[in-house]
Amino acid sequence: MPEKTASTLPTVSPLARVVGTLAVAAATLAAEYGSGVNLVLVNALGAQPGVTYLVPVALVAAGFLLGPAVWLFARFAQALPRAGSVYVWMTRTVGLRTGFAASALYVVGVVGSIGFQSYGFAVFLGSLLKAVGWTSGADLAQSPGGHIVLGAGLLLVFTLLQLGGIRSFGRVMAVMLAMVLGVVVLTVAVCLAGDPHAFAAHAATLLGHPVHRPADDTPSLSAFLGVLVLFIYSYGGVSAAPSLGGETRDGGTLARGLVRGWAVAIVLYGVVATSVFHAVPWYAVHPLAEAGHQDAASIPGIIAVLAPRAVTVVFDLFVVVVAGKTVAPLMVDCSRVMYAWSQDGLLPAACARTTRRQVPVVPVLVTAVLGLIFLVEEATAGFQIGIALRSVTFMLVIAVVGVGWLGLRLRPAALRPQWAQALVERRELLFAAPAAIVVSVIMIAKGFVQPDTPLLLQPAMQALATLVVAVVLWVTAKRRRAAISLVPEPADTSVAP
């Protein structure tokens, strides 16, 4: 445990504690249900065809595998609700250096995800333009330049939303929750009524030859685990929502919203995945992805084949909004972690100052710029980097938080910080923490190296580059403040830091 130090941390401005349970649940779901389910769900077969017909099972299984982590996070949220919660939990349990390194990797995974979501926005807008008959506009939107311009516009919109204050953010997330439910209802209704032969015939037209079910469709365990890694990405709100800890009314609000958002996500994913693969033969998807027809294998592409044009237009309009909104909670997540870094002196004090609307403006702007950089990478190098890196770093954070709880549990009671006294007595965490660690280690091992990906674009290489940047930030911070390696325990967690 780091010793306490008499040195003072930089002067910081407080955040507004106004976010309620509904907004937290909506933010949890908003960071999950968007480009991930509409684009990655079916295209998972493009990356791992050996999973065959088990894609819906894998999507739901990924959610249940995160159950111990959700419970662990919820208990930490009750005990220590702070801005950039996962960073705070790690540094207060395993030490500043380890916690900062893990959070730096996590932040890069988040901004990579912001790039992917911004990239996906143009895909769905292109589908909408095709549905209304503007083919040339759709082609322009889905060109590399179109992805970058439209994604940059999306980042600008949500940067302005954040600068308007967290209360406005919460209201928008509640509205987006209603739109997510609308998309789910349309998806399920169209796909359950759809004819699988219609989509198979459409795939045959695009490919120039019929598609047939293979003689051996036995799922591969390796492919199943690989898809689990990709689908962990679809539950990223579990780690994103806790960053609102400095702006929720209390720890109970944060914990309840987190658990409810995760539970709703599992239900929605299960219903959507089952209905989609009722209408789409799984063996038609990989050939489409391999031939460069990924858009046809997205849910908007499927709806365009199965539904009347009017329904397709309405659906695509909803999906454009739902997919685009996923960027908002991710930007909040990243900016609040940076805000927490500055509280501990790892970034200049200016990063911890807020506007009159109590918004940490510098972290918000830096997040937008980093998201734009990753958007360019996604548009020019391929979207799977953002998915894999976010999944791996998400699991890394879970593992470190789990180890941190075990470390607290093993400490003598006299050496535990006051905020952790009730946390370590949670007997259910004796199962949840080790289970979360085991799942995380398996997923990290499976996800650090991606098949058919150039060496420089592998998640492992991205992580290595991130650690180099983290070392530079650390050394810079130490030179700025000689005592930065010693962080005092938070004295009062009942108010915003």
Side-chain angles (χ1 to χ4, degrees), residues 231-283:
F231 284 162
I232 289 294
Y233 170 91
S234 299
Y235 293 91
V238 169
S239 63
S243 284
L244 289 167
E247 291 153 294
T248 52
R249 292 169 187 152
D250 51 50
T253 297
L254 181 60
R256 287 190 298 272
L258 176 63
V259 172
R260 291 173 187 176
W262 164 76
V264 171
I266 290 180
V267 173
L268 296 186
Y269 284 158
V271 171
V272 168
T274 302
S275 62
V276 166
F277 282 94
H278 167 79
V280 176
W282 62 264
Y283 50 85

Short mmCIF file of all heavy atoms in Angstrom, two decimals, residues 231-283:
data_model
loop_
_atom_site.label_atom_id
_atom_site.label_comp_id
_atom_site.label_asym_id
_atom_site.label_seq_id
_atom_site.Cartn_x
_atom_site.Cartn_y
_atom_site.Cartn_z
N PHE A 231 -16.76 -10.05 -28.68
CA PHE A 231 -18.04 -9.68 -28.09
C PHE A 231 -17.90 -9.05 -26.71
O PHE A 231 -18.83 -8.38 -26.25
CB PHE A 231 -18.97 -10.88 -28.03
CG PHE A 231 -19.56 -11.26 -29.37
CD1 PHE A 231 -20.11 -12.51 -29.57
CD2 PHE A 231 -19.56 -10.36 -30.42
CE1 PHE A 231 -20.66 -12.85 -30.80
CE2 PHE A 231 -20.11 -10.69 -31.65
CZ PHE A 231 -20.66 -11.94 -31.84
N ILE A 232 -16.77 -9.27 -26.05
CA ILE A 232 -16.52 -8.55 -24.79
C ILE A 232 -16.60 -7.05 -25.06
O ILE A 232 -17.07 -6.27 -24.24
CB ILE A 232 -15.13 -8.92 -24.24
CG1 ILE A 232 -15.13 -10.35 -23.70
CG2 ILE A 232 -14.70 -7.94 -23.15
CD1 ILE A 232 -16.01 -10.59 -22.50
N TYR A 233 -16.16 -6.67 -26.25
CA TYR A 233 -16.24 -5.27 -26.68
C TYR A 233 -17.66 -4.73 -26.58
O TYR A 233 -17.88 -3.57 -26.23
CB TYR A 233 -15.75 -5.19 -28.13
CG TYR A 233 -15.98 -3.87 -28.82
CD1 TYR A 233 -15.02 -2.89 -28.78
CD2 TYR A 233 -17.17 -3.63 -29.51
CE1 TYR A 233 -15.22 -1.67 -29.42
CE2 TYR A 233 -17.38 -2.42 -30.15
CZ TYR A 233 -16.41 -1.45 -30.10
OH TYR A 233 -16.62 -0.24 -30.72
N SER A 234 -18.63 -5.58 -26.88
CA SER A 234 -20.03 -5.16 -26.90
C SER A 234 -20.59 -4.86 -25.52
O SER A 234 -21.70 -4.34 -25.40
CB SER A 234 -20.89 -6.23 -27.58
OG SER A 234 -20.47 -6.42 -28.92
N TYR A 235 -19.83 -5.20 -24.47
CA TYR A 235 -20.26 -4.91 -23.10
C TYR A 235 -19.34 -3.88 -22.45
O TYR A 235 -19.22 -3.83 -21.22
CB TYR A 235 -20.27 -6.20 -22.28
CG TYR A 235 -21.32 -7.19 -22.72
CD1 TYR A 235 -21.02 -8.17 -23.68
CD2 TYR A 235 -22.61 -7.16 -22.21
CE1 TYR A 235 -21.98 -9.09 -24.09
CE2 TYR A 235 -23.57 -8.08 -22.62
CZ TYR A 235 -23.25 -9.03 -23.56
OH TYR A 235 -24.21 -9.93 -23.98
N GLY A 236 -18.73 -3.05 -23.27
CA GLY A 236 -17.77 -2.07 -22.76
C GLY A 236 -18.37 -1.05 -21.81
O GLY A 236 -17.63 -0.40 -21.06
N GLY A 237 -19.69 -0.90 -21.81
CA GLY A 237 -20.32 0.05 -20.89
C GLY A 237 -20.10 -0.32 -19.44
O GLY A 237 -20.20 0.54 -18.56
N VAL A 238 -19.77 -1.58 -19.16
CA VAL A 238 -19.50 -2.01 -17.80
C VAL A 238 -18.32 -1.25 -17.22
O VAL A 238 -18.28 -0.95 -16.02
CB VAL A 238 -19.24 -3.54 -17.76
CG1 VAL A 238 -18.69 -3.98 -16.42
CG2 VAL A 238 -20.53 -4.29 -18.07
N SER A 239 -17.34 -0.95 -18.05
CA SER A 239 -16.19 -0.18 -17.56
C SER A 239 -16.35 1.31 -17.83
O SER A 239 -15.73 2.14 -17.15
CB SER A 239 -14.90 -0.69 -18.23
OG SER A 239 -14.95 -0.51 -19.63
N ALA A 240 -17.15 1.69 -18.83
CA ALA A 240 -17.30 3.10 -19.17
C ALA A 240 -18.18 3.85 -18.17
O ALA A 240 -17.85 4.95 -17.72
CB ALA A 240 -17.89 3.24 -20.58
N ALA A 241 -19.31 3.26 -17.78
CA ALA A 241 -20.25 3.94 -16.90
C ALA A 241 -19.66 4.31 -15.54
O ALA A 241 -19.97 5.38 -15.00
CB ALA A 241 -21.51 3.09 -16.73
N PRO A 242 -18.79 3.45 -14.92
CA PRO A 242 -18.24 3.84 -13.62
C PRO A 242 -17.46 5.15 -13.62
O PRO A 242 -17.29 5.75 -12.56
CB PRO A 242 -17.33 2.65 -13.26
CG PRO A 242 -17.96 1.50 -13.94
CD PRO A 242 -18.47 2.05 -15.24
N SER A 243 -17.01 5.60 -14.78
CA SER A 243 -16.28 6.87 -14.82
C SER A 243 -17.17 8.05 -14.46
O SER A 243 -16.70 9.14 -14.19
CB SER A 243 -15.65 7.09 -16.20
OG SER A 243 -14.51 6.28 -16.35
N LEU A 244 -18.49 7.82 -14.44
CA LEU A 244 -19.43 8.84 -13.98
C LEU A 244 -19.50 8.92 -12.46
O LEU A 244 -20.31 9.68 -11.92
CB LEU A 244 -20.83 8.55 -14.53
CG LEU A 244 -21.04 8.76 -16.04
CD1 LEU A 244 -22.37 8.13 -16.47
CD2 LEU A 244 -21.02 10.23 -16.37
N GLY A 245 -18.66 8.16 -11.77
CA GLY A 245 -18.72 8.10 -10.31
C GLY A 245 -18.59 9.44 -9.62
O GLY A 245 -19.14 9.63 -8.53
N GLY A 246 -17.88 10.37 -10.21
CA GLY A 246 -17.74 11.69 -9.62
C GLY A 246 -18.94 12.58 -9.88
O GLY A 246 -19.00 13.70 -9.35
N GLU A 247 -19.90 12.07 -10.70
CA GLU A 247 -21.05 12.88 -11.07
C GLU A 247 -22.39 12.22 -10.76
O GLU A 247 -23.44 12.79 -11.01
CB GLU A 247 -20.96 13.23 -12.57
CG GLU A 247 -19.82 14.19 -12.84
CD GLU A 247 -19.25 14.07 -14.26
OE1 GLU A 247 -18.67 13.02 -14.56
OE2 GLU A 247 -19.40 15.03 -15.03
N THR A 248 -22.35 11.00 -10.19
CA THR A 248 -23.58 10.37 -9.73
C THR A 248 -23.92 10.89 -8.34
O THR A 248 -23.06 11.39 -7.61
CB THR A 248 -23.43 8.84 -9.68
OG1 THR A 248 -22.27 8.51 -8.92
CG2 THR A 248 -23.30 8.26 -11.06
N ARG A 249 -25.18 10.75 -7.97
CA ARG A 249 -25.62 11.29 -6.68
C ARG A 249 -24.93 10.60 -5.51
O ARG A 249 -24.63 11.22 -4.50
CB ARG A 249 -27.14 11.14 -6.57
CG ARG A 249 -27.89 12.04 -7.55
CD ARG A 249 -29.37 11.71 -7.62
NE ARG A 249 -30.00 12.47 -8.69
CZ ARG A 249 -31.08 12.08 -9.35
NH1 ARG A 249 -31.65 10.92 -9.05
NH2 ARG A 249 -31.58 12.83 -10.31
N ASP A 250 -24.69 9.28 -5.66
CA ASP A 250 -23.98 8.54 -4.62
C ASP A 250 -23.53 7.21 -5.21
O ASP A 250 -23.84 6.88 -6.36
CB ASP A 250 -24.87 8.32 -3.39
CG ASP A 250 -26.23 7.72 -3.74
OD1 ASP A 250 -26.26 6.70 -4.47
OD2 ASP A 250 -27.26 8.27 -3.31
N GLY A 251 -22.81 6.43 -4.39
CA GLY A 251 -22.30 5.15 -4.87
C GLY A 251 -23.39 4.15 -5.18
O GLY A 251 -23.25 3.35 -6.12
N GLY A 252 -24.49 4.17 -4.43
CA GLY A 252 -25.59 3.25 -4.70
C GLY A 252 -26.21 3.50 -6.05
O GLY A 252 -26.57 2.56 -6.77
N THR A 253 -26.33 4.77 -6.42
CA THR A 253 -26.87 5.13 -7.73
C THR A 253 -26.00 4.55 -8.84
O THR A 253 -26.50 3.97 -9.81
CB THR A 253 -26.93 6.66 -7.88
OG1 THR A 253 -27.84 7.18 -6.90
CG2 THR A 253 -27.38 7.06 -9.27
N LEU A 254 -24.70 4.69 -8.69
CA LEU A 254 -23.77 4.19 -9.70
C LEU A 254 -23.85 2.67 -9.80
O LEU A 254 -23.91 2.11 -10.90
CB LEU A 254 -22.34 4.62 -9.34
CG LEU A 254 -21.23 4.19 -10.30
CD1 LEU A 254 -21.46 4.73 -11.69
CD2 LEU A 254 -19.87 4.64 -9.77
N ALA A 255 -23.87 1.98 -8.67
CA ALA A 255 -23.92 0.52 -8.67
C ALA A 255 -25.20 -0.01 -9.30
O ALA A 255 -25.17 -0.92 -10.13
CB ALA A 255 -23.77 -0.01 -7.24
N ARG A 256 -26.33 0.56 -8.91
CA ARG A 256 -27.62 0.10 -9.46
C ARG A 256 -27.69 0.32 -10.96
O ARG A 256 -28.15 -0.55 -11.72
CB ARG A 256 -28.78 0.82 -8.76
CG ARG A 256 -29.02 0.36 -7.33
CD ARG A 256 -30.33 0.94 -6.80
NE ARG A 256 -30.30 2.40 -6.76
CZ ARG A 256 -29.85 3.12 -5.74
NH1 ARG A 256 -29.35 2.51 -4.67
NH2 ARG A 256 -29.88 4.44 -5.78
N GLY A 257 -27.29 1.50 -11.42
CA GLY A 257 -27.33 1.79 -12.85
C GLY A 257 -26.44 0.87 -13.65
O GLY A 257 -26.81 0.42 -14.74
N LEU A 258 -25.27 0.56 -13.10
CA LEU A 258 -24.33 -0.33 -13.79
C LEU A 258 -24.91 -1.73 -13.96
O LEU A 258 -24.89 -2.30 -15.06
CB LEU A 258 -23.02 -0.39 -12.98
CG LEU A 258 -21.94 -1.35 -13.48
CD1 LEU A 258 -21.46 -0.94 -14.86
CD2 LEU A 258 -20.79 -1.39 -12.48
N VAL A 259 -25.45 -2.29 -12.89
CA VAL A 259 -25.98 -3.65 -12.95
C VAL A 259 -27.20 -3.72 -13.87
O VAL A 259 -27.34 -4.65 -14.67
CB VAL A 259 -26.33 -4.15 -11.53
CG1 VAL A 259 -27.07 -5.49 -11.60
CG2 VAL A 259 -25.07 -4.29 -10.69
N ARG A 260 -28.06 -2.74 -13.78
CA ARG A 260 -29.27 -2.75 -14.61
C ARG A 260 -28.94 -2.58 -16.09
O ARG A 260 -29.53 -3.25 -16.94
CB ARG A 260 -30.23 -1.64 -14.14
CG ARG A 260 -30.82 -1.91 -12.78
CD ARG A 260 -31.64 -0.74 -12.24
NE ARG A 260 -32.06 -0.99 -10.87
CZ ARG A 260 -32.71 -0.12 -10.12
NH1 ARG A 260 -33.05 1.07 -10.63
NH2 ARG A 260 -33.05 -0.42 -8.88
N GLY A 261 -28.00 -1.71 -16.40
CA GLY A 261 -27.61 -1.54 -17.80
C GLY A 261 -27.02 -2.81 -18.37
O GLY A 261 -27.31 -3.19 -19.52
N TRP A 262 -26.17 -3.50 -17.60
CA TRP A 262 -25.57 -4.77 -18.04
C TRP A 262 -26.64 -5.84 -18.26
O TRP A 262 -26.63 -6.55 -19.27
CB TRP A 262 -24.56 -5.22 -16.99
CG TRP A 262 -24.14 -6.65 -17.09
CD1 TRP A 262 -23.28 -7.20 -18.00
CD2 TRP A 262 -24.55 -7.72 -16.23
NE1 TRP A 262 -23.13 -8.55 -17.75
CE2 TRP A 262 -23.89 -8.90 -16.68
CE3 TRP A 262 -25.39 -7.80 -15.12
CZ2 TRP A 262 -24.06 -10.13 -16.06
CZ3 TRP A 262 -25.57 -9.03 -14.50
CH2 TRP A 262 -24.91 -10.18 -14.97
N ALA A 263 -27.57 -5.96 -17.32
CA ALA A 263 -28.62 -6.98 -17.43
C ALA A 263 -29.50 -6.74 -18.65
O ALA A 263 -29.84 -7.68 -19.39
CB ALA A 263 -29.46 -7.00 -16.16
N VAL A 264 -29.87 -5.49 -18.88
CA VAL A 264 -30.70 -5.17 -20.05
C VAL A 264 -29.94 -5.48 -21.33
O VAL A 264 -30.52 -5.99 -22.31
CB VAL A 264 -31.13 -3.69 -20.01
CG1 VAL A 264 -31.81 -3.29 -21.32
CG2 VAL A 264 -32.09 -3.45 -18.85
N ALA A 265 -28.65 -5.20 -21.36
CA ALA A 265 -27.85 -5.46 -22.55
C ALA A 265 -27.85 -6.95 -22.91
O ALA A 265 -28.00 -7.32 -24.08
CB ALA A 265 -26.41 -4.98 -22.34
N ILE A 266 -27.71 -7.82 -21.92
CA ILE A 266 -27.72 -9.27 -22.18
C ILE A 266 -29.05 -9.68 -22.81
O ILE A 266 -29.08 -10.44 -23.80
CB ILE A 266 -27.48 -10.06 -20.89
CG1 ILE A 266 -26.04 -9.88 -20.43
CG2 ILE A 266 -27.77 -11.54 -21.10
CD1 ILE A 266 -25.70 -10.64 -19.15
N VAL A 267 -30.14 -9.20 -22.26
CA VAL A 267 -31.46 -9.57 -22.79
C VAL A 267 -31.61 -9.08 -24.23
O VAL A 267 -32.03 -9.84 -25.12
CB VAL A 267 -32.57 -8.98 -21.91
CG1 VAL A 267 -33.94 -9.21 -22.55
CG2 VAL A 267 -32.53 -9.60 -20.51
N LEU A 268 -31.28 -7.82 -24.47
CA LEU A 268 -31.43 -7.26 -25.82
C LEU A 268 -30.53 -7.98 -26.82
O LEU A 268 -30.96 -8.29 -27.94
CB LEU A 268 -31.13 -5.76 -25.81
CG LEU A 268 -32.06 -4.88 -24.98
CD1 LEU A 268 -31.72 -3.40 -25.20
CD2 LEU A 268 -33.52 -5.14 -25.32
N TYR A 269 -29.29 -8.24 -26.44
CA TYR A 269 -28.38 -8.93 -27.35
C TYR A 269 -28.88 -10.32 -27.68
O TYR A 269 -28.81 -10.78 -28.83
CB TYR A 269 -26.98 -9.03 -26.73
CG TYR A 269 -26.19 -7.76 -26.76
CD1 TYR A 269 -25.14 -7.55 -25.86
CD2 TYR A 269 -26.45 -6.76 -27.69
CE1 TYR A 269 -24.39 -6.40 -25.88
CE2 TYR A 269 -25.70 -5.60 -27.72
CZ TYR A 269 -24.68 -5.42 -26.81
OH TYR A 269 -23.93 -4.27 -26.85
N GLY A 270 -29.37 -11.04 -26.67
CA GLY A 270 -29.86 -12.39 -26.91
C GLY A 270 -31.04 -12.40 -27.87
O GLY A 270 -31.09 -13.23 -28.79
N VAL A 271 -31.98 -11.50 -27.66
CA VAL A 271 -33.16 -11.44 -28.52
C VAL A 271 -32.78 -11.06 -29.95
O VAL A 271 -33.24 -11.67 -30.93
CB VAL A 271 -34.17 -10.43 -27.94
CG1 VAL A 271 -35.30 -10.17 -28.93
CG2 VAL A 271 -34.74 -10.95 -26.63
N VAL A 272 -31.92 -10.04 -30.09
CA VAL A 272 -31.53 -9.57 -31.42
C VAL A 272 -30.74 -10.64 -32.16
O VAL A 272 -30.99 -10.93 -33.34
CB VAL A 272 -30.73 -8.26 -31.32
CG1 VAL A 272 -30.08 -7.93 -32.66
CG2 VAL A 272 -31.64 -7.12 -30.89
N ALA A 273 -29.75 -11.24 -31.50
CA ALA A 273 -28.90 -12.23 -32.16
C ALA A 273 -29.71 -13.44 -32.62
O ALA A 273 -29.52 -13.94 -33.73
CB ALA A 273 -27.78 -12.67 -31.23
N THR A 274 -30.60 -13.90 -31.78
CA THR A 274 -31.43 -15.05 -32.14
C THR A 274 -32.32 -14.75 -33.34
O THR A 274 -32.45 -15.56 -34.26
CB THR A 274 -32.29 -15.48 -30.94
OG1 THR A 274 -31.45 -15.80 -29.84
CG2 THR A 274 -33.13 -16.70 -31.30
N SER A 275 -32.93 -13.58 -33.34
CA SER A 275 -33.82 -13.23 -34.45
C SER A 275 -33.04 -13.03 -35.75
O SER A 275 -33.48 -13.44 -36.83
CB SER A 275 -34.62 -11.97 -34.11
OG SER A 275 -33.78 -10.86 -33.91
N VAL A 276 -31.85 -12.40 -35.67
CA VAL A 276 -31.05 -12.17 -36.87
C VAL A 276 -30.66 -13.48 -37.52
O VAL A 276 -30.79 -13.67 -38.74
CB VAL A 276 -29.80 -11.34 -36.55
CG1 VAL A 276 -28.80 -11.39 -37.71
CG2 VAL A 276 -30.18 -9.90 -36.26
N PHE A 277 -30.20 -14.45 -36.71
CA PHE A 277 -29.77 -15.71 -37.30
C PHE A 277 -30.93 -16.66 -37.59
O PHE A 277 -30.72 -17.74 -38.12
CB PHE A 277 -28.70 -16.35 -36.43
CG PHE A 277 -27.37 -15.69 -36.62
CD1 PHE A 277 -26.96 -14.66 -35.79
CD2 PHE A 277 -26.54 -16.04 -37.67
CE1 PHE A 277 -25.76 -14.02 -35.97
CE2 PHE A 277 -25.33 -15.41 -37.88
CZ PHE A 277 -24.93 -14.39 -37.03
N HIS A 278 -32.13 -16.24 -37.26
CA HIS A 278 -33.30 -16.93 -37.79
C HIS A 278 -33.49 -16.57 -39.26
O HIS A 278 -33.90 -17.42 -40.07
CB HIS A 278 -34.55 -16.51 -37.00
CG HIS A 278 -35.83 -16.92 -37.65
ND1 HIS A 278 -36.35 -18.20 -37.58
CD2 HIS A 278 -36.72 -16.20 -38.42
CE1 HIS A 278 -37.48 -18.27 -38.27
NE2 HIS A 278 -37.73 -17.07 -38.79
N ALA A 279 -33.18 -15.32 -39.60
CA ALA A 279 -33.40 -14.83 -40.97
C ALA A 279 -32.18 -14.95 -41.86
O ALA A 279 -32.30 -14.91 -43.09
CB ALA A 279 -33.86 -13.38 -40.93
N VAL A 280 -31.00 -15.10 -41.27
CA VAL A 280 -29.75 -15.10 -42.04
C VAL A 280 -29.03 -16.43 -41.85
O VAL A 280 -28.64 -16.77 -40.73
CB VAL A 280 -28.83 -13.95 -41.59
CG1 VAL A 280 -27.49 -14.01 -42.32
CG2 VAL A 280 -29.50 -12.61 -41.82
N PRO A 281 -28.84 -17.21 -42.90
CA PRO A 281 -28.04 -18.44 -42.79
C PRO A 281 -26.60 -18.08 -42.41
O PRO A 281 -25.96 -17.29 -43.10
CB PRO A 281 -28.11 -19.05 -44.19
CG PRO A 281 -29.28 -18.39 -44.85
CD PRO A 281 -29.36 -17.02 -44.27
N TRP A 282 -26.12 -18.63 -41.34
CA TRP A 282 -24.79 -18.26 -40.86
C TRP A 282 -23.71 -18.54 -41.90
O TRP A 282 -22.72 -17.82 -42.01
CB TRP A 282 -24.47 -19.00 -39.55
CG TRP A 282 -24.45 -20.50 -39.68
CD1 TRP A 282 -25.47 -21.36 -39.41
CD2 TRP A 282 -23.36 -21.31 -40.11
NE1 TRP A 282 -25.09 -22.66 -39.65
CE2 TRP A 282 -23.78 -22.67 -40.08
CE3 TRP A 282 -22.05 -21.05 -40.51
CZ2 TRP A 282 -22.97 -23.72 -40.44
CZ3 TRP A 282 -21.22 -22.11 -40.88
CH2 TRP A 282 -21.68 -23.43 -40.84
N TYR A 283 -23.91 -19.57 -42.72
CA TYR A 283 -22.87 -19.95 -43.69
C TYR A 283 -22.82 -19.01 -44.88
O TYR A 283 -21.93 -19.13 -45.74
CB TYR A 283 -23.10 -21.39 -44.16
CG TYR A 283 -24.51 -21.68 -44.62
CD1 TYR A 283 -24.93 -21.39 -45.92
CD2 TYR A 283 -25.44 -22.23 -43.75
CE1 TYR A 283 -26.23 -21.65 -46.33
CE2 TYR A 283 -26.74 -22.49 -44.15
CZ TYR A 283 -27.12 -22.20 -45.43
OH TYR A 283 -28.41 -22.45 -45.83
#
